[in-house]
Amino acid sequence: MAAGWEIRPEEPGDAGAVLALDNDAFGPGRHAKSAYRLREGVQPVSELGFVAVENAELVGSVRFWPIAVGDASSLLLGPLAVKQGLRGRGIGIDLMRRGIERARVLGHASIILVGDEPYYARVGFAKLPRGSVRFPGPVDPARILGLGLQKEALENLRGDVRRARIDDPVCAAGAAVAPAKV
Ligand SMILES: CC(C)(COP(=O)(O)OP(=O)(O)OC[C@H]1O[C@@H](n2cnc3c(N)ncnc32)[C@H](O)[C@@H]1OP(=O)(O)O)[C@@H](O)C(=O)NCCC(=O)NCCS
């Protein structure tokens, strides 16, 4: 039987529904996680956001963030979320496959994430050598996974993970800093 959902690129008008989905899947505590520090003040890669739509409702989402690992550019996968009650049907895998495929076409070298290896191995992720890639905060090394999109990209991935760029500077309290007037 054909899948009842459609995967399509995320559009600007989807932002509210994606936020609601992520809030529901991860809760407000997610912002304290190490991976979120890498997303603070940075916009996701717009060409790599995908959503799953079923019966005109947004039921799943995946995004990728631009990061640097040592001297290399890479991508951070996540958040990946599927609406409760609709999980376990393949939507999550379908979303990731679309994103990964597009990232490959766009010439990205690698993707990393923090997550459960048995799940992400289904789309090709594997544990990275312990200590090779260091996140800015406490992360279980066994959950640091990577996928190479270009030859040797993963083998050469080494060092501290940091934001590839900062789009919206934020002050310590989290409020956006107004651009300086000139
Ligand atoms: C993780 C999540 C995105 C998976 O989406 P999904 O649409 O249910 O996933 P799929 O249907 O594509 O895959 C389901 C399969 O993966 C397995 N699976 C799901 N989570 C798993 C995990 N953490 N470890 C191992 N296997 C897992 C399921 O058992 C199922 O196996 P089956 O096909 O043998 O029945 C969804 O459960 C979710 O939104 N969870 C809350 C948010 C979250 O934890 N996101 C991941 C961290 S970024």
Side-chain angles (χ1 to χ4, degrees), residues 103-104 106-110 147-156:
R104 200 189 299 274
L106 291 175
H108 291 279
S110 65
L147 172 67
L149 303 178
Q150 288 177 9
K151 204 163 170 271
E152 314 244 310
L154 222 48
E155 289 73 5
N156 297 328

Side-chain angles (χ1 to χ4, degrees), residues 25-26 78-82 86-94 116 118-120 122:
F26 301 102
L80 167 72
V82 172
L86 298 177
R87 293 176 185 166
R89 296 156 67 223
I91 297 177
I93 297 287
D94 210 4
D116 295 333
Y119 181 61
Y120 293 100
R122 294 180 183 215

Side-chain angles (χ1 to χ4, degrees), residues 34 113-117 127-128 130-131 133 135 137-145:
S34 177
L113 63 83
V114 179
D116 295 333
E117 203 244 352
K127 279 182 200 166
L128 291 177
R130 199 168 267 255
V133 168
F135 274 74
V139 169
D140 177 357
R143 290 170 56 79
I144 300 180
L145 313 178

Side-chain angles (χ1 to χ4, degrees), residues 2-179:
W5 62 87
E6 177 210 357
I7 307 288
R8 64 156 172 81
E10 182 185 336
E11 295 163 4
D14 296 324
V18 170
L19 183 66
L21 198 64
D22 287 345
N23 280 342
D24 194 44
F26 301 102
R30 72 184 187 277
H31 294 289
K33 285 189 179 167
S34 177
Y36 273 87
R37 291 194 207 165
L38 297 163
R39 299 182 181 122
E40 247 169 26
V42 188
Q43 296 300 315
V45 182
S46 57
E47 305 96 320
L48 295 179
F50 286 91
V51 296
V53 178
E54 190 166 32
N55 300 322
E57 185 190 3
L58 195 152
V59 298
S61 154
V62 69
R63 285 173 165 175
F64 294 78
W65 254 262
I67 52 164
V69 181
D71 295 335
S73 296
S74 186
L75 293 168
L76 179 69
L77 188 155
L80 167 72
V82 172
K83 190 178 169 175
Q84 289 189 45
L86 298 177
R87 293 176 185 166
R89 296 156 67 223
I91 297 177
I93 297 287
D94 210 4
L95 278 164
M96 284 195 287
R97 286 213 173 110
R98 280 294 293 274
I100 292 167
E101 190 183 297
R102 188 89 188 106
R104 200 189 299 274
V105 168
L106 291 175
H108 291 279
S110 65
I111 306 174
I112 65 168
L113 63 83
V114 179
D116 295 333
E117 203 244 352
Y119 181 61
Y120 293 100
R122 294 180 183 215
V123 290
F125 283 87
K127 279 182 200 166
L128 291 177
R130 199 168 267 255
S132 60
V133 168
R134 296 179 298 271
F135 274 74
V139 169
D140 177 357
R143 290 170 56 79
I144 300 180
L145 313 178
L147 172 67
L149 303 178
Q150 288 177 9
K151 204 163 170 271
E152 314 244 310
L154 222 48
E155 289 73 5
N156 297 328
L157 208 59
R158 244 157 245 294
D160 293 330
V161 186
R162 48 185 215 286
R163 295 178 285 186
R165 55 162 202 261
I166 298 175
D167 300 316
D168 318 307
V170 290
C171 72
V177 174

